Amino acid sequence: MQNKIQLLEKYFETELYEDFHSLQSDLVIWVDWSDYDDAIVEYIEKCLLTGHLTASIEDQPNDQLLLKVIYDSKEYTHIIVDRDDTIIWLNSILMPDYEIRFCKISDGSDTLAFLPLTREHWHQLETIYTLDKINNHFEAINSDSVFFNKEYDFDEDFFLED
């Protein structure tokens, strides 16, 4: 964990997108709006290295897809709705051992970042950097979380050409 904290230190010091974006894929996962839901599980496993988190997708009647996740010798199934729903559901499966949080600095992009850590590691970060600083950078996920499906209120005048 100390290595992961050190990787985050530069970002916490500068708060620059470039320093965040340089974080390695074994610490932060980047999910594109077009990624398959089983790939999200693979990205999480690559970061957490649980040794027992896998996923597969199965076709269902009515053109539905079923995401099957095996974690800690238990099987979980979920009809795929969208990336937001899958991330919320996956986070609930991994708790209380692990927690995925949304990296706010990636908000607004079509590829979003998430930081999966053990609950103990989140507590360590909150102790080192304060809860406020962690919450300013990383959003806790709950049943109402929205990531890819956010609606933005753009100023139309900004986009109009003279």
Side-chain angles (χ1 to χ4, degrees), residues 36 56-68 78-80:
Y36 288 104
S56 60
I57 295 178
E58 297 177 2
D59 289 324
Q60 297 293 299
N62 302 324
D63 293 327
Q64 292 184 322
L65 296 173
L66 180 75
L67 179 62
K68 183 189 300 184
H78 189 71
I79 297 295
I80 295 174

PDB file of all heavy atoms in Angstrom, residues 36 56-68 78-80:
ATOM      1  N   TYR A  36     -16.813  -3.279 -22.436  1.00  0.00           N
ATOM      2  CA  TYR A  36     -17.744  -4.318 -21.999  1.00  0.00           C
ATOM      3  C   TYR A  36     -17.695  -4.432 -20.480  1.00  0.00           C
ATOM      4  O   TYR A  36     -16.659  -4.189 -19.851  1.00  0.00           O
ATOM      5  CB  TYR A  36     -17.400  -5.666 -22.635  1.00  0.00           C
ATOM      6  CG  TYR A  36     -17.725  -5.715 -24.113  1.00  0.00           C
ATOM      7  CD1 TYR A  36     -16.725  -5.633 -25.065  1.00  0.00           C
ATOM      8  CD2 TYR A  36     -19.047  -5.821 -24.536  1.00  0.00           C
ATOM      9  CE1 TYR A  36     -17.025  -5.667 -26.415  1.00  0.00           C
ATOM     10  CE2 TYR A  36     -19.357  -5.862 -25.886  1.00  0.00           C
ATOM     11  CZ  TYR A  36     -18.352  -5.784 -26.822  1.00  0.00           C
ATOM     12  OH  TYR A  36     -18.655  -5.810 -28.150  1.00  0.00           O
ATOM     13  N   SER A  56     -17.894 -13.011 -16.640  1.00  0.00           N
ATOM     14  CA  SER A  56     -18.222 -13.416 -18.001  1.00  0.00           C
ATOM     15  C   SER A  56     -19.602 -12.855 -18.333  1.00  0.00           C
ATOM     16  O   SER A  56     -20.364 -12.477 -17.446  1.00  0.00           O
ATOM     17  CB  SER A  56     -18.217 -14.937 -18.135  1.00  0.00           C
ATOM     18  OG  SER A  56     -19.177 -15.513 -17.265  1.00  0.00           O
ATOM     19  N   ILE A  57     -19.881 -12.785 -19.632  1.00  0.00           N
ATOM     20  CA  ILE A  57     -21.167 -12.281 -20.103  1.00  0.00           C
ATOM     21  C   ILE A  57     -21.870 -13.405 -20.849  1.00  0.00           C
ATOM     22  O   ILE A  57     -21.254 -14.109 -21.643  1.00  0.00           O
ATOM     23  CB  ILE A  57     -20.980 -11.054 -21.026  1.00  0.00           C
ATOM     24  CG1 ILE A  57     -20.395  -9.890 -20.238  1.00  0.00           C
ATOM     25  CG2 ILE A  57     -22.308 -10.664 -21.673  1.00  0.00           C
ATOM     26  CD1 ILE A  57     -20.121  -8.647 -21.073  1.00  0.00           C
ATOM     27  N   GLU A  58     -23.169 -13.550 -20.575  1.00  0.00           N
ATOM     28  CA  GLU A  58     -23.971 -14.575 -21.234  1.00  0.00           C
ATOM     29  C   GLU A  58     -25.189 -13.926 -21.891  1.00  0.00           C
ATOM     30  O   GLU A  58     -25.799 -13.025 -21.313  1.00  0.00           O
ATOM     31  CB  GLU A  58     -24.437 -15.618 -20.218  1.00  0.00           C
ATOM     32  CG  GLU A  58     -23.317 -16.387 -19.562  1.00  0.00           C
ATOM     33  CD  GLU A  58     -23.814 -17.356 -18.497  1.00  0.00           C
ATOM     34  OE1 GLU A  58     -25.042 -17.457 -18.293  1.00  0.00           O
ATOM     35  OE2 GLU A  58     -22.970 -18.007 -17.871  1.00  0.00           O
ATOM     36  N   ASP A  59     -25.509 -14.393 -23.090  1.00  0.00           N
ATOM     37  CA  ASP A  59     -26.721 -13.930 -23.765  1.00  0.00           C
ATOM     38  C   ASP A  59     -27.947 -14.448 -23.032  1.00  0.00           C
ATOM     39  O   ASP A  59     -27.961 -15.580 -22.542  1.00  0.00           O
ATOM     40  CB  ASP A  59     -26.755 -14.435 -25.212  1.00  0.00           C
ATOM     41  CG  ASP A  59     -25.731 -13.746 -26.085  1.00  0.00           C
ATOM     42  OD1 ASP A  59     -25.492 -12.536 -25.873  1.00  0.00           O
ATOM     43  OD2 ASP A  59     -25.176 -14.412 -26.974  1.00  0.00           O
ATOM     44  N   GLN A  60     -28.974 -13.617 -22.987  1.00  0.00           N
ATOM     45  CA  GLN A  60     -30.241 -13.962 -22.358  1.00  0.00           C
ATOM     46  C   GLN A  60     -31.371 -13.720 -23.361  1.00  0.00           C
ATOM     47  O   GLN A  60     -31.191 -12.998 -24.340  1.00  0.00           O
ATOM     48  CB  GLN A  60     -30.471 -13.101 -21.104  1.00  0.00           C
ATOM     49  CG  GLN A  60     -29.446 -13.313 -20.009  1.00  0.00           C
ATOM     50  CD  GLN A  60     -29.529 -14.696 -19.408  1.00  0.00           C
ATOM     51  OE1 GLN A  60     -30.540 -15.080 -18.847  1.00  0.00           O
ATOM     52  NE2 GLN A  60     -28.467 -15.472 -19.552  1.00  0.00           N
ATOM     53  N   PRO A  61     -32.542 -14.285 -23.092  1.00  0.00           N
ATOM     54  CA  PRO A  61     -33.679 -13.992 -23.979  1.00  0.00           C
ATOM     55  C   PRO A  61     -33.981 -12.496 -24.009  1.00  0.00           C
ATOM     56  O   PRO A  61     -33.575 -11.751 -23.122  1.00  0.00           O
ATOM     57  CB  PRO A  61     -34.844 -14.756 -23.324  1.00  0.00           C
ATOM     58  CG  PRO A  61     -34.202 -15.766 -22.423  1.00  0.00           C
ATOM     59  CD  PRO A  61     -32.871 -15.206 -22.025  1.00  0.00           C
ATOM     60  N   ASN A  62     -34.707 -12.069 -25.020  1.00  0.00           N
ATOM     61  CA  ASN A  62     -35.105 -10.664 -25.185  1.00  0.00           C
ATOM     62  C   ASN A  62     -33.916  -9.738 -25.381  1.00  0.00           C
ATOM     63  O   ASN A  62     -33.941  -8.591 -24.929  1.00  0.00           O
ATOM     64  CB  ASN A  62     -35.952 -10.190 -24.011  1.00  0.00           C
ATOM     65  CG  ASN A  62     -37.197 -11.029 -23.820  1.00  0.00           C
ATOM     66  OD1 ASN A  62     -37.793 -11.465 -24.799  1.00  0.00           O
ATOM     67  ND2 ASN A  62     -37.574 -11.266 -22.590  1.00  0.00           N
ATOM     68  N   ASP A  63     -32.848 -10.236 -26.000  1.00  0.00           N
ATOM     69  CA  ASP A  63     -31.655  -9.435 -26.293  1.00  0.00           C
ATOM     70  C   ASP A  63     -31.004  -8.832 -25.053  1.00  0.00           C
ATOM     71  O   ASP A  63     -30.395  -7.764 -25.112  1.00  0.00           O
ATOM     72  CB  ASP A  63     -31.973  -8.322 -27.298  1.00  0.00           C
ATOM     73  CG  ASP A  63     -32.321  -8.874 -28.658  1.00  0.00           C
ATOM     74  OD1 ASP A  63     -31.749  -9.923 -29.031  1.00  0.00           O
ATOM     75  OD2 ASP A  63     -33.156  -8.263 -29.354  1.00  0.00           O
ATOM     76  N   GLN A  64     -31.144  -9.483 -23.931  1.00  0.00           N
ATOM     77  CA  GLN A  64     -30.488  -9.016 -22.709  1.00  0.00           C
ATOM     78  C   GLN A  64     -29.167  -9.749 -22.531  1.00  0.00           C
ATOM     79  O   GLN A  64     -28.959 -10.836 -23.062  1.00  0.00           O
ATOM     80  CB  GLN A  64     -31.371  -9.251 -21.487  1.00  0.00           C
ATOM     81  CG  GLN A  64     -32.615  -8.392 -21.467  1.00  0.00           C
ATOM     82  CD  GLN A  64     -33.415  -8.592 -20.195  1.00  0.00           C
ATOM     83  OE1 GLN A  64     -33.521  -9.697 -19.681  1.00  0.00           O
ATOM     84  NE2 GLN A  64     -33.970  -7.496 -19.694  1.00  0.00           N
ATOM     85  N   LEU A  65     -28.277  -9.111 -21.766  1.00  0.00           N
ATOM     86  CA  LEU A  65     -26.996  -9.719 -21.432  1.00  0.00           C
ATOM     87  C   LEU A  65     -26.909  -9.872 -19.923  1.00  0.00           C
ATOM     88  O   LEU A  65     -27.293  -8.972 -19.172  1.00  0.00           O
ATOM     89  CB  LEU A  65     -25.839  -8.858 -21.933  1.00  0.00           C
ATOM     90  CG  LEU A  65     -25.727  -8.696 -23.447  1.00  0.00           C
ATOM     91  CD1 LEU A  65     -24.640  -7.687 -23.788  1.00  0.00           C
ATOM     92  CD2 LEU A  65     -25.443 -10.034 -24.099  1.00  0.00           C
ATOM     93  N   LEU A  66     -26.386 -11.006 -19.493  1.00  0.00           N
ATOM     94  CA  LEU A  66     -26.233 -11.296 -18.074  1.00  0.00           C
ATOM     95  C   LEU A  66     -24.750 -11.240 -17.729  1.00  0.00           C
ATOM     96  O   LEU A  66     -23.931 -11.910 -18.363  1.00  0.00           O
ATOM     97  CB  LEU A  66     -26.785 -12.685 -17.752  1.00  0.00           C
ATOM     98  CG  LEU A  66     -26.702 -13.120 -16.296  1.00  0.00           C
ATOM     99  CD1 LEU A  66     -27.773 -12.394 -15.481  1.00  0.00           C
ATOM    100  CD2 LEU A  66     -26.899 -14.620 -16.175  1.00  0.00           C
ATOM    101  N   LEU A  67     -24.408 -10.419 -16.758  1.00  0.00           N
ATOM    102  CA  LEU A  67     -23.036 -10.368 -16.262  1.00  0.00           C
ATOM    103  C   LEU A  67     -22.938 -11.311 -15.082  1.00  0.00           C
ATOM    104  O   LEU A  67     -23.678 -11.188 -14.105  1.00  0.00           O
ATOM    105  CB  LEU A  67     -22.665  -8.945 -15.825  1.00  0.00           C
ATOM    106  CG  LEU A  67     -21.260  -8.747 -15.269  1.00  0.00           C
ATOM    107  CD1 LEU A  67     -20.197  -9.081 -16.313  1.00  0.00           C
ATOM    108  CD2 LEU A  67     -21.084  -7.315 -14.781  1.00  0.00           C
ATOM    109  N   LYS A  68     -22.025 -12.269 -15.199  1.00  0.00           N
ATOM    110  CA  LYS A  68     -21.800 -13.227 -14.117  1.00  0.00           C
ATOM    111  C   LYS A  68     -20.441 -12.912 -13.497  1.00  0.00           C
ATOM    112  O   LYS A  68     -19.426 -12.912 -14.182  1.00  0.00           O
ATOM    113  CB  LYS A  68     -21.799 -14.656 -14.641  1.00  0.00           C
ATOM    114  CG  LYS A  68     -21.650 -15.706 -13.550  1.00  0.00           C
ATOM    115  CD  LYS A  68     -21.439 -17.118 -14.079  1.00  0.00           C
ATOM    116  CE  LYS A  68     -22.582 -17.578 -14.927  1.00  0.00           C
ATOM    117  NZ  LYS A  68     -22.416 -18.987 -15.374  1.00  0.00           N
ATOM    118  N   HIS A  78     -26.232 -10.428 -12.803  1.00  0.00           N
ATOM    119  CA  HIS A  78     -26.882  -9.120 -12.924  1.00  0.00           C
ATOM    120  C   HIS A  78     -27.150  -8.852 -14.402  1.00  0.00           C
ATOM    121  O   HIS A  78     -26.246  -9.014 -15.227  1.00  0.00           O
ATOM    122  CB  HIS A  78     -25.931  -8.057 -12.351  1.00  0.00           C
ATOM    123  CG  HIS A  78     -26.511  -6.714 -12.194  1.00  0.00           C
ATOM    124  ND1 HIS A  78     -27.445  -6.401 -11.254  1.00  0.00           N
ATOM    125  CD2 HIS A  78     -26.276  -5.569 -12.880  1.00  0.00           C
ATOM    126  CE1 HIS A  78     -27.759  -5.117 -11.343  1.00  0.00           C
ATOM    127  NE2 HIS A  78     -27.057  -4.599 -12.324  1.00  0.00           N
ATOM    128  N   ILE A  79     -28.358  -8.457 -14.722  1.00  0.00           N
ATOM    129  CA  ILE A  79     -28.666  -8.060 -16.095  1.00  0.00           C
ATOM    130  C   ILE A  79     -27.956  -6.735 -16.370  1.00  0.00           C
ATOM    131  O   ILE A  79     -28.060  -5.789 -15.590  1.00  0.00           O
ATOM    132  CB  ILE A  79     -30.194  -7.908 -16.312  1.00  0.00           C
ATOM    133  CG1 ILE A  79     -30.905  -9.251 -16.114  1.00  0.00           C
ATOM    134  CG2 ILE A  79     -30.494  -7.327 -17.692  1.00  0.00           C
ATOM    135  CD1 ILE A  79     -30.532 -10.322 -17.127  1.00  0.00           C
ATOM    136  N   ILE A  80     -27.236  -6.684 -17.470  1.00  0.00           N
ATOM    137  CA  ILE A  80     -26.471  -5.484 -17.814  1.00  0.00           C
ATOM    138  C   ILE A  80     -27.429  -4.387 -18.271  1.00  0.00           C
ATOM    139  O   ILE A  80     -28.247  -4.598 -19.174  1.00  0.00           O
ATOM    140  CB  ILE A  80     -25.435  -5.790 -18.908  1.00  0.00           C
ATOM    141  CG1 ILE A  80     -24.379  -6.764 -18.366  1.00  0.00           C
ATOM    142  CG2 ILE A  80     -24.794  -4.510 -19.432  1.00  0.00           C
ATOM    143  CD1 ILE A  80     -23.393  -7.257 -19.408  1.00  0.00           C
TER     144      ILE A  80
END
